[in-house]
């Protein structure tokens, strides 16, 4: 069975953020670090080369595949900020419906800029996801 490629690393979160060319995106990512640190009470850690993650949780699928992944995290991508780990919130669909201008993928939420979303709803979504994973 293949190893999980996304693991916590020693890479600098500050260097990752500083390398984001767009100043507005960089500020949004800094705001996400503050918010996710506050909610999870965990420091920001690089997972792989491009995900800023907070906390960790062990998972095991029915197939037997298992590993560790961040509770919640984000990555600055070309067009959006991808946010991970929010679908664990019991009422994530209702919260996503009132969040604002976003798109959803299989396992992540895409946000163009934080000004497009309701930050109180977003904080609730993060809190509920972390709580549902038993880490609050």
């Amino acid at each position: 069975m293949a190893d999980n490629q996304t693991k916590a690393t020693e890479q600098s979160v500050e260097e990752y953020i500083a390398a984001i060319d767009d100043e507005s995106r960089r500020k949004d990512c800094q705001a996400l670090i503050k918010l996710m640190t506050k909610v999870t009470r965990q420091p920001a850690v690089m997972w792989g080369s491009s995900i800023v993650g907070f906390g960790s949780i062990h998972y095991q699928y029915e197939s037997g595949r298992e590993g560790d992944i961040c509770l919640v995290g984000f990555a600055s991508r070309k067009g959006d900020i991808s946010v991970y780990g929010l679908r664990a919130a019991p009422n994530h669909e209702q919260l996503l419906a009132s969040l604002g201008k976003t798109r959803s993928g299989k396992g992540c939420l895409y946000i163009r800029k934080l000004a497009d979303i309701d930050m109180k709803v977003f904080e609730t979504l993060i809190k509920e996801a972390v709580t549902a994973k038993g880490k609050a």
Side-chain angles (χ1 to χ4, degrees):
M1 191 171 301
D3 259 357
N4 186 355
Q5 297 296 312
T6 306
K7 296 179 182 178
T9 71
E10 296 293 322
Q11 182 180 342
S12 168
V13 172
E14 293 78 17
E15 288 178 14
Y16 172 77
I17 298 299
I20 298 171
D21 290 333
D22 182 273
E23 182 180 355
S24 177
R25 172 69 59 83
R26 193 169 46 253
K27 287 181 179 178
D28 280 354
C29 289
Q30 290 166 335
L32 284 175
I33 289 172
K34 287 180 185 174
L35 176 62
M36 290 183 170
T37 298
K38 176 183 137 186
V39 172
T40 65
R41 293 183 229 127
Q42 298 291 321
V45 173
M46 291 303 300
W47 286 75
S49 62
S50 64
I51 296 175
V52 179
F54 302 82
S56 69
I57 188 166
H58 189 77
Y59 65 86
Q60 183 170 7
Y61 296 126
E62 288 181 20
S63 66
R65 181 184 171 104
E66 62 182 298
D68 296 299
I69 193 66
C70 54
L71 287 172
V72 292
F74 70 90
S76 178
R77 304 292 187 204
K78 185 176 182 180
D80 298 299
I81 298 171
S82 300
V83 184
Y84 305 97
L86 303 179
R87 292 199 179 270
N91 62 342
H92 72 273
E93 289 180 15
Q94 293 93 343
L95 290 167
L96 289 175
S98 61
L99 184 58
K101 189 176 174 183
T102 64
R103 293 181 303 117
S104 292
K106 184 176 179 181
C108 60
L109 175 70
Y110 302 104
I111 301 169
R112 172 111 23 223
K113 56 188 175 194
L114 294 185
D116 290 343
I117 65 172
D118 182 323
M119 291 303 289
K120 289 184 180 187
V121 173
F122 189 56
E123 183 172 350
T124 299
L125 185 58
I126 297 167
K127 284 179 184 175
E128 290 191 8
V130 170
T131 299
K133 294 174 185 180
K135 297 291 183 171

